[in-house]
Amino acid sequence: MKHIMAKMKKVNAMHFLFLSGTTWLLFAFLIFPNINLIFETFFQDGRFTISAIERFMKSGRAMRSLKNSFILAGTLAITVNLLGTFIVLVSDYFKIKGSRFLKIGYSSTLVYGGIVLASGYLFVYGSSGVITNMLMKIFPAMNPHWFEGYGAVTFVMTFALTSFHIIFLSDALKNIDYQTIEAAKSMGASSWTILTKVVLPVLSPNYFAITILIVLTGLGATSAPLMIGGEHFQTINPMIIRFSKSIASRDIATVLSLILGIATIFTLFISKIIESRYHYMSVSKVKTTLIKQEIKNPAVNILLHVSAYTIFLIYVIPILLIIIYSFTDGYTIATGNIRISSFTLQNYTSLLFQPSSYKPYLTSIVYATLAAFMVGALILTLARYLRSGKSFYRSVVDYALMTPWLLPSTLIAMGLIVTYDTKRMLLFGKVLTGTPVMLLVGYIIIKIPFTLRMTNAALYNVDHSLEEAAKSMGARPFYIFRKIVFPVIRPFILAIFVLNFNALLADYDLSVLLYHPLYEPLGVVMKNNAESQINPNAQALVLVYSVILMLISTISLSLVYGKQKKVL
Amino acid sequence: MITFDNVEIRYGDFVAIQNLNLIINEGEFFTLLGPSGCGKTTTLRSLVGFIKPSQGTILIEGVRVNDKPVEEREIGIVFQSYALFPTMNVFDNIAFGLQLQKKSKTLIEQMVWEIAEKVDLNNEQLNKRVSELSGGQQQRVAIARALVMKPKILALDEPLSNLDANLRGQLRMELKRLQREFGITTIYVTHDQEEALTISDRIAVFNKGYLEQVGTPKEIYNESKTEFVTNFIGDINLLPGNLKKELEIDIKLQAYIRLEKIYLEPPHPSPERYHKLGVVLVEKEYYGNLSKYTYQYQGDLMRSYVIDNERNDCAIGDHVDIYIDKNAILTF
Amino acid sequence: MITFDNVEIRYGDFVAIQNLNLIINEGEFFTLLGPSGCGKTTTLRSLVGFIKPSQGTILIEGVRVNDKPVEEREIGIVFQSYALFPTMNVFDNIAFGLQLQKKSKTLIEQMVWEIAEKVDLNNEQLNKRVSELSGGQQQRVAIARALVMKPKILALDEPLSNLDANLRGQLRMELKRLQREFGITTIYVTHDQEEALTISDRIAVFNKGYLEQVGTPKEIYNESKTEFVTNFIGDINLLPGNLKKELEIDIKLQAYIRLEKIYLEPPHPSPERYHKLGVVLVEKEYYGNLSKYTYQYQGDLMRSYVIDNERNDCAIGDHVDIYIDKNAILTF
Amino acid sequence: QKEGSGELVIYSNSLTDGRGEWVEEKAKEAGFTVTAVQVGGGDLANRLIAEKNNPVADIVFGLNTMGFESLKNENVLLEYVPEWAGEVEEGMNDKDGYYHSLVKQAILLIYSQDVYSEATGPQDWTDLWENPAFHGQYFLFSSLSGGTTRAVISGILVRYLDENGELGVSEEGWEAVKQLYDNGYIAKEGEEFYALLAEGTTPMGQMWSSGLAAREEQYGVKSYYAKPAVGVPYVVEQIGIIDGSSNIDEAKKFLDWFGSAEVQGKWAEEFYSLPANKEALSFAPEYIRAIDESLTVQDIDWGFVGAHIEKWAEKIELEIMR
Ligand SMILES: Nc1ncnc2c1ncn2[C@@H]1O[C@H](COP(=O)(O)OP(=O)(O)OP(=O)(O)O)[C@@H](O)[C@H]1O
Ligand SMILES: Nc1ncnc2c1ncn2[C@@H]1O[C@H](COP(=O)(O)OP(=O)(O)OP(=O)(O)O)[C@@H](O)[C@H]1O
Ligand SMILES: [Fe+3]
Ligand SMILES: [Mg+2]
Ligand SMILES: [Mg+2]
């Protein structure tokens, strides 16, 4: 009897330790540093002020940009889901010739994004882009700046954001009980009915998670509107980033950022309500694996093939052009006139054969790997805890984990520096500012909300009864996790890891404030090179860096997914 | 009419069904019977169109259907693992096929209620999610979902395995009624020999991918063609060597007798047909309506069925006489 | 010893189990029986710890376990829906629990092979993925996975529902052997009355969330305490009004007699106990080892079991005499 | 970690293109141990301010006067007048001795020789909006985060200082800036001014003096620059010591060495810059000196500008730009 009591005590102690550990982590790294900053916004010189709100309300430009951000987010929630669903169905659900090849093209957005992606599309559709030049030959009266504004931004971002679908839906599809499809078929259901009534509803939790991420990314759109939006379609995030770097205007950045953050959390809240209504539990005994569906109607089949390959081209041409242009000089890149003489290896040689050039790569790879791994592990633990039941504390934790979405990364970095530049009890008297750990902490923090949402989506795919079975055999939570849960969610978790890794690899905004002088990360080096005052080939260097980053990302992806294939 | 002509079915390298030749008549209640893993489900799935035979032809009403898509075969199916739609409630699961046929809403409701009543699901349960049902309730939803469509051919894969005897009896009657009333050809998979014998017009017994015997229940039971079938259908005694000698049966043959062909009470009509044997009662197994008695005969065990035991007032350890029906001995 | 003390279990507003008081003794083979949806699985799951009772206490060996985590209860369980691990092959599924106990690799292999043989899974099947098994094979994996652990308490939820009679018999014996050899307390859920009667030390019959009766198989069968139990266990005749008058039974009572308590052959020991009735044979239902005869008596139907029918050479339409055991009439 | 170690950490936004390595190497030769850390313009000040309670850096250089003004206001800097302070041109060093000048840069309004002659091109920034022919023809950045842009704006706004005006600028001044933005071509991110200049899309725009030559060569285009009567704004890159440095003595020695005419001369020679140290001026490349000599310095109170530029930028970005 005694040892049972002891065991109980141990369990309780562990539980207590876990809870207090979580509370401490949340408070020390998410709430305390950030709340300070938010307070400062509204309490200047000890007095409550809404000057920031007034200043921003007065600005037509800011209001318009804010509105555009919401419009964009709303539009993308629809368009990205449509396109994303299409490419996933083409590559993993329907029998399409060459679907594996197509999928590689569709997955290209996993390895590049942001400015580079937008430039890629401009190489195709911009005023001196390939397509534009072709069209101009046919319609000389055409406006070369036709690819601009709301439509263009939506187009580019729609293609850019489908990576969520590639990651989540493809693997979630594999978790469908194939016999339900067979059942529907035997009742005479058409492919379309099966898709809409049987398959997609099962994926609804995944759709909710993806949609939140789309809305969030749409609200936070930066590069595409800046480069393609033109005068009439600017969004709010560039302004936030810009103002967060200015001492005098930081309060406005905070306010704007809070608006976006609250909108995001509101979306989350709404979707949680809807989600709970659509919540379902698997009832299949042992799932049988999905078999690719043939399309019976030849016309539809041809149409599907044609659109699949057209979309494939839209995906890959920008990336090809980026690779091509990375071998040309800055003049060619800026003007789009490729001549034989444009080509040069100098961009690569100057970057790759610099004596110290490998160190930033190493630094960033180490930081990104560590951070992606740690945030993944931390969030997995927390996400499992959050899903293990319902309680007030859990909701608090859930929403507290969202705080990094409330502030731009510059301000998060500032909050961290200011908080941990003195010895604080909260950190057991350690000073973080100026240490190499600081950047790691920062990386982990900014990746928390994203990782949590993605991980939650992944956990939907685990059948609860399997955990019960393992428990009944005496398996401890961690063992269950390792042996039962993780194998099911592994593809998702690895994908999240890679996405985080890739994003952190080239991070600039946070890195520049937090990095240790001796360990300069890649993003900072890239930006420095790109902002060279005297080297007019700086533009080319950006492309070269991007190509190298794509290469690293591709390698990390294929490492991760290559292993994957053998397991499943 | 359904014809399997020289059909072979494979999962990768594994041959699940070999050289299957089988004809199922229109309107027949046809049962596939066999031990677990023998290929019953596989046969059913090939008929419905979920797996393609690697060899041979499947014909429905004389038309080759090997390449005919599932949705055009119009076969209702109850899956062994139910395959219910997890995102729909019970009502919608059952109504799914009807909605596909664009039936009116009121008609659908009426049809669903009707069938739900037949499978003993009430209104409250119709509104639950399928994950909120008990195992047997889920199975009944699967049955209802297939029956409500009144298909020409009905394929049922162990549809009653999770239901109690009363409900099973009730649903068996319902299945028979449907089959008779609408001339539905029913292909029924079951692991339950008794059920197969009661309900079927004809039975096909499978073993390890091979078809062992096809026939009416009585043929299968009383005229088992192979040793496997003999053993598989109902309980049976393997005659011990001594007894074989006594009965002048070739010692090299395997000789069997069914439990119910051994009698405790002396037979009246034709005593010469019965062989009397002095044995010791060693065990009584209780089955409710009947008991299984085990006797010892010169070191070997023999068993028989006895209906209720109050009238047979012998106790364990008693020396009793049993009577073996010589005509009922099967040899292989 | 397992005690349910005034237990109530709810799913949201729905009360699945009401006011359950039940004691299961150590080493007992205890069966939960009842119609589909009556709460058998729910009771089992509350014992294992997957659901918490909304009221009352569950005790294992005198210790309240309501809040004890599942993994510490050391109860082996076979799920009605198997809950096999899809990412592992069959071997790993079975070995899962052993690996948890950090047994040596060779020992694990040996134990898995041993149990696999018992449930009739061969080496090839051990290396398959669970989705590549037939329904019955999957069920056997689920059984093997629980048995291999030799837990103190074993909870089995319709573990044999997809298996054929021979295999079922074989596994029942194995379960009994384990229970006896290791004193495993076995809680067994089944929908199969016959199985329950054969295998159990005691049976609890549930109906709509209520416990109707607990007792040994014989008590349950022969001394059914409620009308529900009477009807649920085995087939039964409701005595028609005319016959009740004839037998001088209060006409307001419901009177039942089991099918096997009606005899076709005249009884010898105590004739005064039997009531002779002239009836017409109207139907013979074939069950293999026995048949069910239906007779007409003054417009009402009565049924009885007859072992094998060659000796009872009456045909449908014949007038026959049947003998009713008056001592076996149950009234409510 | 470097408590009195003698190792210096230098933050600068001006260490690209080999400058960082150059500084480290030359300093080593002179007996210093130096880590040079490049941090982009806007972020450098932020980082320093954030770190001020526990500074990592000992020395900062490269930010212009506006930047150093805000560092000074945030109490980041330590007062120290280096030996060479007197050799710097009048009015560039901090009057209070917190920072001192290294390199100066003229901020030019340039226009393409393909489109304009010196006579037809703009003579001053004001021409851009006052002459309708120039409307839509000049290149502007969409953000006011860059030092060059800020210098241009300051150069315009200081002509309209008014104590009673909003943020110290008269109504008229704000109107002028509004005119500037209303009639210019506001660039999208990623657009290269020189590419547009070469194409003729926007043949006018801002440029800093030492960047001119390389770009003209790269894009094969020649341009003139305007020589306004009021002069052109000069941005001056400064140097200072961080308050709280644990190597103050070493830092002071470094400052004396780095700003000296000899080192600044070599720097100018190597990196085509215009030294603020008059005695080093002769080392600067010929063409830059020629530009410098042809221009007058616009009289700007950088202390005042430094105190207001953030607010000005905010107002322009929020209210004036469309
Ligand atoms: N998750 C749930 N939510 C709501 N009701 C439920 C849930 N699970 C079961 N029920 C209901 O509780 C009752 C008892 O269910 P339980 O699974 O215990 O039945 P059972 O006796 O095991 O039946 P079966 O023999 O069909 O498996 C059923 O009426 C069922 O509909
Ligand atoms: N997807 C598969 N891949 C490989 N082998 C399979 C697959 N499905 C079934 N099998 C094998 O084929 C054989 C026949 O399977 P089938 O499902 O037809 O059996 P069954 O007669 O329905 O058995 P049960 O009564 O247990 O359901 C089994 O040995 C099984 O292991
Ligand atoms: Fe103990
Ligand atoms: Mg099967
Ligand atoms: Mg159940």
Side-chain angles (χ1 to χ4, degrees), chain C residues 287-324:
Chain C
Y287 281 82
N289 59 0
L290 47 70
S291 288
K292 197 187 273 181
Y293 282 18
T294 309
Y295 317 96
Q296 194 165 23
Y297 169 71
Q298 298 185 2
D300 290 306
L301 296 179
M302 306 272 291
R303 290 157 308 147
S304 83
Y305 285 123
V306 180
I307 283 197
D308 179 48
N309 46 14
E310 277 194 23
R311 284 171 73 185
N312 305 300
D313 39 12
C314 44
I316 288 179
D318 285 2
H319 286 260
V320 294
D321 285 338
I322 56 173
Y323 302 84
I324 293 174

Short mmCIF file of all heavy atoms in Angstrom, two decimals, chain C residues 287-324:
data_model
loop_
_atom_site.label_atom_id
_atom_site.label_comp_id
_atom_site.label_asym_id
_atom_site.label_seq_id
_atom_site.Cartn_x
_atom_site.Cartn_y
_atom_site.Cartn_z
N TYR C 287 -31.41 -26.35 -37.40
CA TYR C 287 -30.26 -25.71 -36.79
C TYR C 287 -29.03 -26.59 -36.83
O TYR C 287 -28.10 -26.38 -36.07
CB TYR C 287 -30.56 -25.37 -35.32
CG TYR C 287 -31.37 -24.14 -35.12
CD1 TYR C 287 -32.74 -24.18 -35.24
CD2 TYR C 287 -30.76 -22.92 -34.83
CE1 TYR C 287 -33.50 -23.05 -35.06
CE2 TYR C 287 -31.52 -21.79 -34.65
CZ TYR C 287 -32.88 -21.84 -34.76
OH TYR C 287 -33.62 -20.73 -34.57
N GLY C 288 -29.02 -27.63 -37.65
CA GLY C 288 -27.86 -28.51 -37.65
C GLY C 288 -28.00 -29.55 -36.56
O GLY C 288 -28.66 -30.55 -36.75
N ASN C 289 -27.43 -29.27 -35.40
CA ASN C 289 -27.49 -30.27 -34.33
C ASN C 289 -28.89 -30.47 -33.76
O ASN C 289 -29.21 -31.49 -33.20
CB ASN C 289 -26.49 -29.96 -33.23
CG ASN C 289 -26.72 -28.60 -32.62
OD1 ASN C 289 -27.65 -27.89 -33.04
ND2 ASN C 289 -25.91 -28.23 -31.66
N LEU C 290 -29.73 -29.45 -33.88
CA LEU C 290 -31.11 -29.64 -33.44
C LEU C 290 -32.06 -28.85 -34.33
O LEU C 290 -31.64 -28.09 -35.19
CB LEU C 290 -31.29 -29.27 -31.96
CG LEU C 290 -30.72 -27.99 -31.40
CD1 LEU C 290 -31.45 -26.78 -31.92
CD2 LEU C 290 -30.84 -28.02 -29.88
N SER C 291 -33.33 -29.11 -34.12
CA SER C 291 -34.32 -28.38 -34.90
C SER C 291 -35.31 -27.73 -33.97
O SER C 291 -35.49 -28.16 -32.83
CB SER C 291 -35.07 -29.34 -35.84
OG SER C 291 -34.21 -29.73 -36.89
N LYS C 292 -35.94 -26.70 -34.47
CA LYS C 292 -36.98 -26.04 -33.69
C LYS C 292 -38.29 -26.36 -34.38
O LYS C 292 -38.47 -26.11 -35.56
CB LYS C 292 -36.71 -24.54 -33.69
CG LYS C 292 -37.45 -23.79 -32.60
CD LYS C 292 -37.29 -22.30 -32.76
CE LYS C 292 -36.05 -21.76 -32.09
NZ LYS C 292 -35.91 -20.29 -32.24
N TYR C 293 -39.21 -26.98 -33.64
CA TYR C 293 -40.52 -27.32 -34.19
C TYR C 293 -41.52 -26.29 -33.72
O TYR C 293 -41.51 -25.87 -32.56
CB TYR C 293 -40.97 -28.70 -33.72
CG TYR C 293 -40.32 -29.87 -34.42
CD1 TYR C 293 -39.13 -29.71 -35.13
CD2 TYR C 293 -40.90 -31.14 -34.37
CE1 TYR C 293 -38.54 -30.77 -35.77
CE2 TYR C 293 -40.32 -32.22 -35.00
CZ TYR C 293 -39.12 -32.04 -35.70
OH TYR C 293 -38.54 -33.11 -36.31
N THR C 294 -42.43 -25.94 -34.58
CA THR C 294 -43.52 -25.05 -34.18
C THR C 294 -44.84 -25.81 -34.33
O THR C 294 -45.08 -26.47 -35.33
CB THR C 294 -43.54 -23.79 -35.07
OG1 THR C 294 -42.24 -23.23 -35.08
CG2 THR C 294 -44.52 -22.77 -34.53
N TYR C 295 -45.63 -25.71 -33.27
CA TYR C 295 -46.91 -26.42 -33.26
C TYR C 295 -48.04 -25.42 -33.11
O TYR C 295 -47.87 -24.34 -32.53
CB TYR C 295 -47.00 -27.37 -32.05
CG TYR C 295 -45.74 -28.17 -31.79
CD1 TYR C 295 -44.81 -27.73 -30.86
CD2 TYR C 295 -45.50 -29.37 -32.48
CE1 TYR C 295 -43.66 -28.43 -30.60
CE2 TYR C 295 -44.35 -30.08 -32.22
CZ TYR C 295 -43.44 -29.62 -31.29
OH TYR C 295 -42.31 -30.33 -31.05
N GLN C 296 -49.22 -25.86 -33.63
CA GLN C 296 -50.37 -25.00 -33.43
C GLN C 296 -51.29 -25.63 -32.40
O GLN C 296 -51.60 -26.82 -32.45
CB GLN C 296 -51.13 -24.84 -34.74
CG GLN C 296 -52.12 -23.69 -34.67
CD GLN C 296 -52.59 -23.30 -36.04
OE1 GLN C 296 -52.54 -24.10 -36.97
NE2 GLN C 296 -53.04 -22.07 -36.19
N TYR C 297 -51.71 -24.79 -31.45
CA TYR C 297 -52.62 -25.28 -30.42
C TYR C 297 -53.76 -24.28 -30.29
O TYR C 297 -53.56 -23.16 -29.81
CB TYR C 297 -51.87 -25.40 -29.08
CG TYR C 297 -52.78 -25.65 -27.90
CD1 TYR C 297 -53.42 -26.89 -27.76
CD2 TYR C 297 -53.03 -24.66 -26.96
CE1 TYR C 297 -54.27 -27.11 -26.69
CE2 TYR C 297 -53.85 -24.87 -25.88
CZ TYR C 297 -54.48 -26.11 -25.75
OH TYR C 297 -55.33 -26.31 -24.69
N GLN C 298 -54.88 -24.67 -30.77
CA GLN C 298 -56.08 -23.82 -30.69
C GLN C 298 -55.79 -22.39 -31.15
O GLN C 298 -56.12 -21.42 -30.48
CB GLN C 298 -56.62 -23.81 -29.25
CG GLN C 298 -57.04 -25.20 -28.78
CD GLN C 298 -57.67 -25.15 -27.41
OE1 GLN C 298 -57.84 -24.12 -26.81
NE2 GLN C 298 -58.06 -26.33 -26.91
N GLY C 299 -55.16 -22.30 -32.31
CA GLY C 299 -54.92 -20.96 -32.87
C GLY C 299 -53.67 -20.29 -32.36
O GLY C 299 -53.21 -19.30 -32.93
N ASP C 300 -53.06 -20.78 -31.28
CA ASP C 300 -51.82 -20.20 -30.80
C ASP C 300 -50.64 -21.09 -31.18
O ASP C 300 -50.81 -22.28 -31.44
CB ASP C 300 -51.86 -20.04 -29.28
CG ASP C 300 -52.84 -18.95 -28.88
OD1 ASP C 300 -52.68 -17.82 -29.40
OD2 ASP C 300 -53.75 -19.23 -28.07
N LEU C 301 -49.45 -20.47 -31.20
CA LEU C 301 -48.26 -21.23 -31.59
C LEU C 301 -47.39 -21.56 -30.38
O LEU C 301 -47.25 -20.76 -29.47
CB LEU C 301 -47.42 -20.44 -32.62
CG LEU C 301 -48.09 -20.17 -33.98
CD1 LEU C 301 -47.17 -19.36 -34.88
CD2 LEU C 301 -48.49 -21.48 -34.65
N MET C 302 -46.81 -22.76 -30.39
CA MET C 302 -45.87 -23.18 -29.35
C MET C 302 -44.67 -23.78 -30.06
O MET C 302 -44.81 -24.38 -31.12
CB MET C 302 -46.49 -24.29 -28.46
CG MET C 302 -47.82 -23.96 -27.84
SD MET C 302 -47.58 -23.14 -26.27
CE MET C 302 -46.91 -24.47 -25.30
N ARG C 303 -43.48 -23.62 -29.44
CA ARG C 303 -42.30 -24.17 -30.10
C ARG C 303 -41.53 -25.08 -29.15
O ARG C 303 -41.60 -24.91 -27.92
CB ARG C 303 -41.38 -23.04 -30.59
CG ARG C 303 -41.99 -22.27 -31.76
CD ARG C 303 -41.40 -20.91 -31.86
NE ARG C 303 -41.49 -20.22 -30.58
CZ ARG C 303 -40.59 -19.35 -30.15
NH1 ARG C 303 -39.56 -19.04 -30.89
NH2 ARG C 303 -40.74 -18.78 -28.97
N SER C 304 -40.79 -26.01 -29.71
CA SER C 304 -39.93 -26.83 -28.86
C SER C 304 -38.68 -27.21 -29.64
O SER C 304 -38.65 -27.10 -30.88
CB SER C 304 -40.65 -28.10 -28.41
OG SER C 304 -40.57 -29.09 -29.41
N TYR C 305 -37.62 -27.60 -28.91
CA TYR C 305 -36.41 -28.07 -29.56
C TYR C 305 -36.46 -29.58 -29.70
O TYR C 305 -36.93 -30.28 -28.80
CB TYR C 305 -35.18 -27.74 -28.73
CG TYR C 305 -34.78 -26.30 -28.77
CD1 TYR C 305 -34.68 -25.55 -27.60
CD2 TYR C 305 -34.46 -25.69 -29.98
CE1 TYR C 305 -34.30 -24.24 -27.62
CE2 TYR C 305 -34.07 -24.36 -30.01
CZ TYR C 305 -33.99 -23.64 -28.84
OH TYR C 305 -33.61 -22.35 -28.87
N VAL C 306 -35.92 -30.08 -30.78
CA VAL C 306 -35.82 -31.51 -30.98
C VAL C 306 -34.42 -31.82 -31.48
O VAL C 306 -33.97 -31.23 -32.46
CB VAL C 306 -36.86 -31.99 -32.02
CG1 VAL C 306 -36.76 -33.49 -32.22
CG2 VAL C 306 -38.25 -31.58 -31.58
N ILE C 307 -33.72 -32.70 -30.78
CA ILE C 307 -32.38 -33.03 -31.24
C ILE C 307 -32.49 -33.92 -32.47
O ILE C 307 -33.21 -34.90 -32.46
CB ILE C 307 -31.60 -33.79 -30.15
CG1 ILE C 307 -31.12 -32.81 -29.09
CG2 ILE C 307 -30.38 -34.49 -30.77
CD1 ILE C 307 -30.03 -33.36 -28.24
N ASP C 308 -31.77 -33.61 -33.47
CA ASP C 308 -31.78 -34.37 -34.73
C ASP C 308 -33.21 -34.80 -35.05
O ASP C 308 -34.01 -35.02 -34.17
CB ASP C 308 -30.86 -35.59 -34.62
CG ASP C 308 -30.88 -36.39 -35.91
OD1 ASP C 308 -30.75 -35.74 -36.97
OD2 ASP C 308 -31.06 -37.60 -35.85
N ASN C 309 -33.57 -34.96 -36.27
CA ASN C 309 -34.98 -35.25 -36.48
C ASN C 309 -35.27 -36.58 -37.16
O ASN C 309 -36.41 -36.90 -37.42
CB ASN C 309 -35.67 -34.11 -37.21
CG ASN C 309 -34.82 -33.68 -38.38
OD1 ASN C 309 -33.90 -34.41 -38.76
ND2 ASN C 309 -35.12 -32.54 -38.93
N GLU C 310 -34.25 -37.33 -37.39
CA GLU C 310 -34.55 -38.59 -38.08
C GLU C 310 -35.39 -39.52 -37.22
O GLU C 310 -36.16 -40.33 -37.71
CB GLU C 310 -33.26 -39.29 -38.50
CG GLU C 310 -32.75 -38.72 -39.81
CD GLU C 310 -31.69 -39.61 -40.38
OE1 GLU C 310 -31.66 -40.81 -40.04
OE2 GLU C 310 -30.88 -39.10 -41.16
N ARG C 311 -35.15 -39.42 -35.92
CA ARG C 311 -35.88 -40.33 -35.04
C ARG C 311 -37.30 -39.87 -34.78
O ARG C 311 -38.16 -40.64 -34.42
CB ARG C 311 -35.14 -40.49 -33.71
CG ARG C 311 -33.92 -41.39 -33.87
CD ARG C 311 -33.10 -41.36 -32.64
NE ARG C 311 -33.74 -42.10 -31.57
CZ ARG C 311 -33.25 -42.13 -30.33
NH1 ARG C 311 -32.15 -41.47 -30.03
NH2 ARG C 311 -33.85 -42.81 -29.40
N ASN C 312 -37.52 -38.55 -34.95
CA ASN C 312 -38.88 -38.05 -34.77
C ASN C 312 -39.47 -37.94 -36.16
O ASN C 312 -39.39 -36.90 -36.80
CB ASN C 312 -38.85 -36.70 -34.10
CG ASN C 312 -38.07 -36.77 -32.81
OD1 ASN C 312 -38.44 -37.52 -31.92
ND2 ASN C 312 -36.97 -36.04 -32.74
N ASP C 313 -40.09 -39.00 -36.60
CA ASP C 313 -40.44 -39.05 -38.01
C ASP C 313 -41.78 -38.42 -38.33
O ASP C 313 -42.46 -38.81 -39.25
CB ASP C 313 -40.39 -40.50 -38.52
CG ASP C 313 -40.92 -41.45 -37.47
OD1 ASP C 313 -41.52 -40.96 -36.48
OD2 ASP C 313 -40.74 -42.67 -37.62
N CYS C 314 -42.16 -37.43 -37.55
CA CYS C 314 -43.41 -36.76 -37.87
C CYS C 314 -43.18 -35.67 -38.93
O CYS C 314 -42.12 -35.09 -39.02
CB CYS C 314 -44.07 -36.17 -36.62
SG CYS C 314 -42.92 -35.33 -35.56
N ALA C 315 -44.22 -35.44 -39.71
CA ALA C 315 -44.10 -34.48 -40.81
C ALA C 315 -44.99 -33.27 -40.54
O ALA C 315 -45.87 -33.31 -39.68
CB ALA C 315 -44.52 -35.15 -42.12
N ILE C 316 -44.75 -32.24 -41.27
CA ILE C 316 -45.56 -31.03 -41.09
C ILE C 316 -47.01 -31.35 -41.42
O ILE C 316 -47.31 -32.00 -42.41
CB ILE C 316 -45.02 -29.89 -41.98
CG1 ILE C 316 -43.70 -29.42 -41.38
CG2 ILE C 316 -46.00 -28.73 -42.10
CD1 ILE C 316 -43.02 -28.34 -42.14
N GLY C 317 -47.90 -30.90 -40.57
CA GLY C 317 -49.31 -31.21 -40.74
C GLY C 317 -49.78 -32.36 -39.85
O GLY C 317 -50.98 -32.52 -39.61
N ASP C 318 -48.86 -33.16 -39.34
CA ASP C 318 -49.21 -34.28 -38.46
C ASP C 318 -49.80 -33.79 -37.15
O ASP C 318 -49.40 -32.75 -36.63
CB ASP C 318 -47.96 -35.12 -38.13
CG ASP C 318 -47.52 -35.99 -39.29
OD1 ASP C 318 -48.17 -35.89 -40.36
OD2 ASP C 318 -46.54 -36.73 -39.12
N HIS C 319 -50.74 -34.57 -36.66
CA HIS C 319 -51.20 -34.32 -35.31
C HIS C 319 -50.27 -35.05 -34.36
O HIS C 319 -50.04 -36.24 -34.53
CB HIS C 319 -52.64 -34.83 -35.12
CG HIS C 319 -53.63 -33.95 -35.79
ND1 HIS C 319 -54.39 -33.01 -35.13
CD2 HIS C 319 -53.96 -33.84 -37.10
CE1 HIS C 319 -55.15 -32.37 -35.98
NE2 HIS C 319 -54.91 -32.85 -37.21
N VAL C 320 -49.71 -34.39 -33.39
CA VAL C 320 -48.80 -35.04 -32.46
C VAL C 320 -49.17 -34.67 -31.04
O VAL C 320 -49.90 -33.70 -30.81
CB VAL C 320 -47.33 -34.67 -32.71
CG1 VAL C 320 -46.84 -35.20 -34.04
CG2 VAL C 320 -47.13 -33.16 -32.64
N ASP C 321 -48.65 -35.44 -30.11
CA ASP C 321 -48.82 -35.10 -28.70
C ASP C 321 -47.53 -34.51 -28.18
O ASP C 321 -46.45 -35.02 -28.45
CB ASP C 321 -49.15 -36.36 -27.88
CG ASP C 321 -50.58 -36.80 -28.13
OD1 ASP C 321 -51.40 -35.95 -28.56
OD2 ASP C 321 -50.86 -37.99 -27.91
N ILE C 322 -47.61 -33.41 -27.42
CA ILE C 322 -46.42 -32.89 -26.77
C ILE C 322 -46.65 -32.88 -25.27
O ILE C 322 -47.80 -32.86 -24.80
CB ILE C 322 -46.04 -31.48 -27.26
CG1 ILE C 322 -47.21 -30.50 -27.08
CG2 ILE C 322 -45.60 -31.49 -28.72
CD1 ILE C 322 -46.84 -29.06 -27.40
N TYR C 323 -45.56 -32.92 -24.53
CA TYR C 323 -45.65 -33.01 -23.07
C TYR C 323 -44.99 -31.80 -22.44
O TYR C 323 -43.81 -31.52 -22.70
CB TYR C 323 -44.96 -34.29 -22.60
CG TYR C 323 -45.59 -35.52 -23.21
CD1 TYR C 323 -45.20 -35.97 -24.48
CD2 TYR C 323 -46.60 -36.21 -22.55
CE1 TYR C 323 -45.79 -37.07 -25.07
CE2 TYR C 323 -47.20 -37.33 -23.14
CZ TYR C 323 -46.78 -37.75 -24.39
OH TYR C 323 -47.38 -38.84 -24.96
N ILE C 324 -45.76 -31.09 -21.66
CA ILE C 324 -45.24 -29.85 -21.05
C ILE C 324 -44.87 -30.13 -19.60
O ILE C 324 -45.68 -30.66 -18.83
CB ILE C 324 -46.31 -28.74 -21.11
CG1 ILE C 324 -46.52 -28.37 -22.59
CG2 ILE C 324 -45.87 -27.52 -20.31
CD1 ILE C 324 -47.65 -27.39 -22.79
#
